Each structure stands twice: as structure tokens, then as C-alpha cells.
Amino acid sequence: MRVLVAEDEEMLAELVATGLRRAGFAVDTVYSGDAALAYLGLHDYDVVVLDRDLPRVHGDDVARKLVATGSRTRILMLTAASSTEDRVAGLDLGADDYLGKPFEFPELVSRVRALRRRSARPVPPQLERHGIRLDTVRRTASREGRELDLSPKEFSVLQLLLEADGATVSAEELLERAWDANADPFTGAVRVCMSKLRGKLGEPALIRTVQGVGYAL
């Protein structure tokens, strides 16, 4: 659900990030290997889309560092060199998948989703609780058979609450998992999103606020 795009071609990085956000992911972008390592050290990403030819710290070295630290972040390596030897070399470094440039964007999204499913926190294709049914593959949601028109952010928040299986999820965790690094923790973004989500879920109310702790379904 949270992706880091590490690509030195800034226009390409932002295009990829925009497309992934439309697909429902929280996305951060960096343009060098040292910046990638800094972000990976600060945030818990599900997937890093990693250009192999990054400046300052090479993409190969970023992959090696992730593997050496036992990170659960999955690596989708991008490169203009797409020969069999290059693919083998990238996978041997610890990449989980490899995609040559140029690529078709739907394939990139599909591969990111596949890597998410293989992460250390696997998500079942469908989540159900209290009459809510969430299809995490098709990204559709319903309550008691009524289709819910959710924004990508609302869908992500509802998914996190369902995955918690009744446990309380803090606002800080929601920010970490569903928003990107530019989100201001003092803006009330979680509270506003939760209010809209409650309105779309309808009555009887399902999301409760645990004062000073967070939210639970």
C-alpha cells in the first residue's frame, strides 16, 4: 500500500507516482540512491520501484543494503538494460522482480500489486467484517450489498481498519500506511478522511473513535 519510487528521471518518476496514486497506493518519490536509502530508513514501504542506474548511490547498492538489513520491502528493479544477463544480475542482487524500460504502465501496477501480496504482511483478496466486503484486487467495496463509492484514500483507510480485525489503529499508523511522506501530521487529514468515510458507510455507524488512541471497526 505504500510505495517508494526511486528514479533519477524526475519526469518519469512523477508520472509513475501519479499513476500509482490513482491505483490507490501512497507514493513517495526520490531521484538518487542516497535519498532512497534515507527514505527507506525512515518509512516502512511495501515496495520500492528501484531504477538500477541511480546517481550518488547505485541502485545495485541500494538493493544490497535492503537485503543485508533483512528489510521486508519488496524490490521491483527498473533498467533500460533488459537482456537476460541483466535480469539475472538484478535478481541475484536481491530484487524480487525486474522490469525493462520502456514498459507498459498497467504491467508496472500489476507487478507492484503482486509484490504487495508477497510481502511479510499478506492481504487476502477479500476482507469481510460487519457486512462490509472489500475486494483488494479489484479495489471495490460494499456494505450489505450496497456499493460504496470510495476515494483511493478512503479505500486504503477502510482496508487498514479491516485488516486490524477489531483492534484499534492509531492516527499515526494510518498516516504512515495510507499517506505519503509529505502529509502534515497536524493537518487533521486523518480526521477529515474518517468523517467522509463514516458518511459513505452510513448507518448504523461502524467506525468508533477510541479517545486518545485511534480508530476501530
Side-chain angles (χ1 to χ4, degrees), residues 1 23-26 134 139 150-163 174 177-179 197:
M1 294 173 67
F25 296 98
L134 213 68
R139 296 192 66 79
L150 304 181
S151 70
K153 196 70 65 187
E154 292 159 357
F155 187 98
S156 295
V157 168
L158 182 57
Q159 180 174 333
L160 288 166
L161 292 173
L162 285 166
E163 287 177 14
L174 290 171
R177 302 302 305 153
W179 274 263
L197 181 56

Side-chain angles (χ1 to χ4, degrees), residues 47-69:
V47 178
V48 55
V49 179
L50 180 65
D51 179 36
R52 193 169 182 185
D53 298 314
L54 288 173
R56 294 204 285 274
V57 176
H58 197 273
D60 289 359
D61 294 322
V62 175
R64 289 190 186 97
K65 179 72 171 179
L66 278 177
V67 173
T69 57

Side-chain angles (χ1 to χ4, degrees), residues 69-131:
T69 57
S71 172
R72 56 165 292 281
T73 301
R74 300 294 186 178
I75 303 170
L76 173 56
M77 189 169 278
L78 300 179
T79 182
S82 56
S83 68
T84 300
E85 292 79 7
D86 289 309
R87 289 197 297 273
V88 170
L91 294 170
D92 283 347
L93 286 167
D96 298 281
D97 201 357
Y98 196 100
L99 190 58
K101 299 177 185 178
F103 52 82
E104 295 293 331
F105 192 76
E107 181 180 5
L108 174 68
V109 173
S110 178
R111 287 173 183 255
V112 169
R113 283 180 174 153
L115 289 177
R116 173 66 177 87
R117 291 194 293 271
R118 290 164 51 191
S119 72
R121 291 194 298 264
V123 177
Q126 294 196 358
L127 295 165
E128 293 188 52
R129 188 178 179 86
H130 299 307

Side-chain angles (χ1 to χ4, degrees), residues 5-51:
V5 176
E7 164 63 60
D8 67 327
E9 296 179 42
E10 294 189 22
M11 185 175 294
L12 175 60
E14 295 306 324
L15 285 172
V16 169
T18 298
L20 288 172
R21 290 185 186 112
R22 288 174 179 166
F25 296 98
V27 186
D28 297 323
T29 54
V30 292
Y31 314 117
S32 64
D34 55 344
L37 288 173
Y39 270 63
L40 288 162
L42 287 171
H43 306 290
D44 184 19
Y45 292 99
D46 296 291
V47 178
V48 55
V49 179
L50 180 65
D51 179 36

